[in-house]
Amino acid sequence: METMTNPKIKKSKRFLWLSLFALLIVLTITIISIAGILIYAKILGPPPLSVPQSTLYYSNDGTLIGESSNGDKRYWVDLDDVAGDLIHATISIEDQNFYSHHGFDYKRIVGAVLADIKAMEKVQGASTISQQYARNLFLTLDKTWKRKISEAFYTLRLEMNYDKKEILEGYLNTINYGNKAYGIEAASQFYFGKKAKDLSLAESAMLAGIPKGPNIYSPIGHFDRAKLRQKIILQSMVQNGYITQKEADKAASKKLKIIGEHSYSQTQVAPYFQDTVKHLLKTKIGLDDRTIDLGGLRVYTTLNTEQQEIAEKVIDETISEDSKIQVGFTAMDPNTGFVSALVGGRKYEASQFNRAVQAIRQPGSTIKPLLYYAALEKGFTPTTMMKSEPTTFRFDDGRKDYTPHNFNSKYANDEITMAQALALSDNVFAVKTHLFLGEDVLVQTAKQFGIETKMSKVPSLALGTSGVRVIDMVNAYSLLANGGKQVEPVFITRVEDYQGKVIYQYEPPKKQVLDSKLAFIMDQMMTGMFDKKLNGYSSVTGSTIASQITRQYAGKSGSTDTDSWMIGFTPQLTAGIWTGYDQGNQITLNADKLYAKNIWVRFMEKSLEDQPIKTFKQPKGVIAVPIDPESGKIATDDCPVSRLTYFIEGTEPTDYCDKHINEENLWKHDKRHEKENKNWLKRLFKWF
């Protein structure tokens, strides 16, 4: 018997050893595989957490003004900015062991499997918050094994490289709450019209129930189901020790007001401004279209929503509803270049063409301040005189004769000062100055002022026949307003990525591009357009709106047959507007010709009504002298008009006006002049 059983025993022992060896191999392979997976996961490092999110745009005071997205609303918020009740409700119903497991809740998995076997169908889920977050990051809901394995591996990487707070924050910011609201901030705003940090217990429990089935448990359309699930969640919070039964009952009985509207529409505020910002994000900062639309950026802009509203309202109220006239309007802070308001057309829905930054139109006489600044650089003064009369310019190089005309063919037929010529917008004076300086001087001066469009070296350039953009002209005038410091139109001050990292920060230029003394003198000359009358033959160009102004402005209007302009400034605000027809039709109606000035003055007055009245700061080396506008000499008591005029010290007139002295006062004037000369000699000898 022993000889027969021994082989069986030996065979059994051999099988046992083989089985143990095989098991050992399997365990070894399993351990090595797990170790390999862990090592590989560690080598790969943290998985990227970026998902498509709405890019948000903010005004200069932090107000949300717009967003870019693919239709879904996705806003990322820190976990600290989410109501504690919402966090507790989510953990309680979705993953009560979230803080103790490492991505997979094995007890819950076993329980789910047994429940499914018992019911012979899928009745219970076992996905943890980490697994659901991994699924959200993949943005795919297919149920293939490949996807499930990838999700598990991604979950492992999440748990190995991020702490629980980061994972929970990511989950709450990416989960689908239905109605195109992804993330708790978008959901809170859509359903309750408030930020996630302000949610009540009742609201939190309601929202926490939606992700299980956004189409089933949304309180919009399925309020009864949503209410039932809310109560289940409140009870789970009681069981897990987050709230008391009394608190749960009170929350369950609380009546909730469901808003059901996303808080913002993209084109609601300053659509032309927003388009410009998006263009700059691409062309200046170098971001691609997908990042701009779905990168979750926070774009902080220079828009002043109050000024924007004023601009739009004034344009709507001033221009007749039946008129086909279009507008391009820009306002900016001359000290920073920050664009505070922009209107690119009367109706964005009808035309997205931005006439403030894209249209190139003839500026007319608004180019003259640049010309006269160049003249000051070349030795002209505000009292430099030339004759205003019909003039034909003839050239030796074969060019055609050129005969400029003043508005309504009105001329002084006498000598006028440069200050008068600017205020009265005398075209003959401007062309004479332009040709005297040389036709290339204004071209170079325009570049100095930041004008980027092509300027033609022709006599008519002095009258604004080369096209410019509204925004460039407003920026050019800002250089005069700020004392000659370099500025550029600024729309974006800072851009942050979805994690709050600053990827762009505006750095202001630090360069003096104009002579501050000459800029101040030009500012003072440009206030002349609002003087009631500078001489006897014509009113100044701003006379039609002078009665509406309550503070000192510097400005210049301009017009061609097809374009009407008005640009002006104070030390704290520059604004400019063009009006005309898109097709370049002639402006024939007098009312249409006045739109630009009226819109400008109403905008400036309304925008500045609560701000202090500021005057332009007089630099050292500039002196003020009372001037008779008619003669360009120092005014006397006999002059009917005296205007305080500014000069570089040493260039001011020394002769007194004698045009208005009658015989009775002649002796007094001569005696006074003699006395002043003696006083001057005394001062001179005292100095020596």
Side-chain angles (χ1 to χ4, degrees), residues 139-148:
L139 295 178
T140 176
L141 297 177
D142 60 286
K143 298 182 179 181
T144 64
W145 281 106
K146 181 180 179 181
R147 199 275 298 166
K148 291 182 178 294

Side-chain angles (χ1 to χ4, degrees), residues 58-60 277 285 298-303 336 338-339 490-496 502 504-507:
Y58 297 92
S59 67
N60 64 349
V277 169
I285 301 178
R298 301 294 186 269
V299 182
Y300 296 90
T301 77
T302 58
L303 185 75
T336 61
F338 288 4
V339 177
V490 179
F491 288 82
I492 304 169
T493 57
R494 189 173 78 258
V495 180
E496 298 175 358
V502 177
Y504 170 79
Q505 182 76 47
Y506 171 71
E507 294 293 337

Side-chain angles (χ1 to χ4, degrees), residues 361-369 371-372 393 402-407 411 421 425-434 442 455-456 458-467 556-561 563 565:
R361 303 297 294 243
Q362 292 183 357
S365 293
T366 59
I367 200 70
K368 290 176 181 175
L371 170 68
Y372 292 141
F393 297 90
Y402 177 58
T403 306
H405 299 280
N406 281 351
F407 178 71
Y411 304 89
S425 203
D426 190 278
N427 289 336
V428 174
F429 195 110
V431 175
K432 285 182 178 179
T433 303
H434 176 50
L442 181 53
M455 297 277 134
S456 300
V458 294
S460 62
L461 180 60
L463 308 183
T465 54
S466 287
K556 187 71 189 79
S557 60
S559 62
T560 71
D561 290 341
D563 307 275
W565 292 72

